[in-house]
Amino acid sequence: MEKQFILNHIDHTLLKQDAVWQEIMEICKEGIEQKTASICIPPSFVSQAASFVQGQVPICTVIGFPNGYQTTAVKVFEASDAIKNGADEIDMVINLGWLKEGFYDKILQEINAIKYICGEKILKVIVETCLLTPEEKIKMCEVVSQSKADYIKTSTGFSKGGATLEDIQLFSKHVFGGTKIKAAGGIKGVKDAEDFLQAGAERLGSSSLLGMLQ
């Protein structure tokens, strides 16, 4: 698998709590130079990053992050604010409590409310696979596929575990309607990247893979 092909599928990510502008600026520069799919950064840096990159690389940010238990109104406001500030892509976290209680309609409504705000911009739905049973993972493939979101995403990278090859293989069997897959959390090497892409992932979220590819 060619290096540039992998780079074109990476959301080059820096979401650590103590990130500073100098580090975000480096992510921006690397994303532009390496032609990554996007740079994924905290919401507070979106406006500054948008001014810096001038459209040379898409800017992704996160909402309802990392726990997902904010109200829908708060998530909708976060998404609206991020887009106003220049975000091109939104990665949202679902309400995992709703999932555990079987409130699938509420999750679907929330996803669609946020996608309405996103319009033509990309929305990815983080389901935090490390906290889910196989049945719940399959159910979320169904819910996200029924929604207007663009991607189902494995993980925040802030919980007990990240993406696994088995999860991507499971997602590939159960998503439908053109829903794409993003693997994130713990992807650190070229072999990981190749395996996840071959298993069906369209995007890879990683804070460490880019250095190995340069």
Side-chain angles (χ1 to χ4, degrees):
M1 196 173 284
E2 292 185 2
K3 166 188 166 182
Q4 193 58 57
F5 179 83
I6 296 173
L7 288 167
N8 292 158
H9 290 77
I10 294 174
D11 288 344
H12 189 23
T13 302
L14 177 59
L15 293 170
K16 65 179 186 176
Q17 295 96 324
D18 59 349
V20 297
W21 170 243
Q22 185 64 38
E23 295 170 297
I24 298 294
M25 189 166 58
E26 288 304 314
I27 289 282
C28 292
K29 290 178 181 177
E30 290 170 355
I32 293 168
E33 291 167 3
Q34 302 297 331
K35 297 181 174 61
T36 60
S38 78
I39 55 166
C40 188
I41 60 175
S44 57
F45 289 107
V46 167
S47 179
Q48 200 171 358
S51 296
F52 182 77
V53 304
Q54 292 292 303
Q56 295 178 85
V57 63
I59 296 173
C60 174
T61 195
V62 290
I63 67 168
F65 195 86
N67 295 314
Y69 46 38
Q70 295 86 345
T71 64
T72 297
V74 168
K75 291 180 183 178
V76 166
F77 176 82
E78 283 187 276
S80 177
D81 187 57
I83 290 167
K84 180 180 69 177
N85 288 334
D88 300 294
E89 303 186 5
I90 298 291
D91 288 16
M92 64 165 284
V93 186
I94 65 162
N95 188 314
L96 289 152
W98 287 354
L99 172 55
K100 296 295 181 181
E101 295 201 65
F103 297 157
Y104 309 124
D105 287 346
K106 293 180 74 171
I107 296 172
L108 179 61
Q109 289 166 9
E110 180 173 270
I111 294 169
N112 283 339
I114 293 166
K115 180 58 179 175
Y116 178 79
I117 295 297
C118 292
E120 296 301 312
K121 297 182 186 297
I122 289 173
L123 175 63
K124 310 186 200 94
V125 179
I126 306 171
V127 301
E128 204 69 282
T129 46
C130 65
L131 301 179
L132 307 185
T133 66
E135 293 75 21
E136 288 168 341
K137 294 172 190 177
I138 292 169
K139 186 63 183 180
M140 284 316 303
C141 286
E142 178 185 325
V143 171
V144 177
S145 295
Q146 288 174 340
S147 80
K148 296 177 181 175
D150 303 280
Y151 284 78
I152 185 170
K153 176 180 170 182
T154 59
S155 320
T156 62
F158 282 72
S159 190
K160 298 188 294 184
T164 69
L165 199 56
E166 293 74 21
D167 284 337
I168 300 307
Q169 292 166 340
L170 182 72
F171 281 7
S172 295
K173 291 177 182 176
H174 293 282
V175 294
F176 55 88
T179 300
K180 298 176 183 177
I181 298 167
K182 177 176 174 179
I187 303 173
K188 298 186 180 299
V190 176
K191 181 64 163 58
D192 284 347
E194 291 176 338
D195 288 347
F196 281 118
L197 290 170
Q198 288 170 352
E202 176 70 21
R203 290 284 187 95
L204 307 174
S206 180
S207 58
S208 58
L209 184 60
L210 185 57
M212 299 182 185
L213 287 164
Q214 290 178 327

